Amino acid sequence: MTGQGARAAKTTANRAKMLAAARTLFAERGYTATTMKAIAEAAGMAVQTLYFTFATKRAILSELLDTEIAGDTEPVATMDRPWFDAALAAAPADQIRLQVDAAATIFGRVSPLLEVIRSAAATDPELAELWQTNLTQRRAVQLRLATALTEKTALRNGLPAERAADISLAVLAPETYHLLVHERGWTTADWTAWAADALIRQLLP
């Protein structure tokens, strides 16, 4: 590895250490109580390095959210992911099962972080904006999937795609996942089976 390559690898590794430290502290202490200094100390970095890399605590949280939703650091949007293409190509009930499976996988990674954002959004305007952006993105995904359903079959009671997307948004809300899995002790398999059954019954004729 060249000197430049080694430096790039070290920079990437340090960035990952900072993000991991922030994720743990946000989950344990909440967003407000987690300071940049605490993140730097937990990552074993100088606080100046943390500021140089991310500039703000919100920037750390925003990058963490993107990474946790995607499951990797590749700049590929949700609607360009292989699972999404597979869902669009599937029969109606199978499409619903695939999108529920994807939601379960994503929430398994990101649910604690989304709860941190949701909890802090009430008092922090920047996090309220981040939460709203995430909601808007989730609604766009559900609308595209609902539109695909209407192209394959008439929906229950003539539901339009807009209403079907709202129903999916509610059933697959991170708040619902957090309540049932983290608060009520459901397994991910329990939640997945319930959510798929609920959407199939609500949306398909």
Side-chain angles (χ1 to χ4, degrees), residues 80-92:
D80 294 324
R81 294 271 166 176
W83 75 261
F84 196 88
D85 289 338
L88 293 182

Side-chain angles (χ1 to χ4, degrees), residues 146 150 153-164 167 202-204:
T150 65
T153 182
L155 301 187
R156 183 185 181 206
N157 297 328
L159 277 175
E162 289 277 346
R163 180 58 62 88
I167 292 170
Q202 285 286 312
L203 301 183
L204 299 186

Side-chain angles (χ1 to χ4, degrees), residues 20-108:
R23 188 187 194 283
T24 299
L25 290 175
F26 287 149
E28 290 177 351
R29 304 181 184 181
Y31 180 78
T32 303
T34 299
T35 64
M36 293 288 274
K37 183 174 183 292
I39 294 170
E41 289 176 350
M45 304 285 172
V47 70
Q48 293 90 341
T49 303
L50 183 66
Y51 275 108
F52 179 81
T53 304
F54 292 103
T56 66
K57 188 167 64 168
R58 183 189 185 280
I60 298 174
L61 185 58
S62 182
E63 182 166 328
L64 262 177
L65 182 61
D66 289 344
T67 302
E68 294 289 295
I69 289 173
D72 55 49
T73 57
E74 297 299 318
V76 179
T78 296
M79 288 189 277
D80 294 324
R81 294 271 166 176
W83 75 261
F84 196 88
D85 289 338
L88 293 182
D94 290 334
Q95 175 187 317
I96 289 173
R97 293 187 185 98
L98 284 170
Q99 69 188 77
V100 171
D101 285 345
T105 299
I106 292 168
F107 286 151

Side-chain angles (χ1 to χ4, degrees), residues 124-203:
D124 189 310
E126 286 190 339
L127 290 204
E129 181 182 357
L130 186 60
W131 178 259
Q132 188 60 46
T133 297
N134 177 263
L135 176 60
T136 300
Q137 291 169 341
R138 283 189 279 116
R139 176 58 165 69
V141 169
Q142 295 306 329
L143 180 58
R144 178 67 188 90
L145 289 165
T147 300
L149 273 183
T150 65
E151 293 167 352
K152 298 169 185 176
T153 182
L155 301 187
R156 183 185 181 206
N157 297 328
L159 277 175
E162 289 277 346
R163 180 58 62 88
D166 289 342
I167 292 170
S168 298
L169 188 68
V171 172
L172 303 181
E175 300 97 317
T176 305
Y177 179 91
H178 182 84
L179 171 66
L180 295 178
V181 175
H182 293 287
E183 298 291 338
R184 298 305 309 150
W186 286 27
T187 66
T188 299
D190 290 337
W191 180 87
T192 301
W194 166 78
D197 182 66
L199 286 181
I200 288 171
R201 289 173 182 273
Q202 285 286 312
L203 301 183

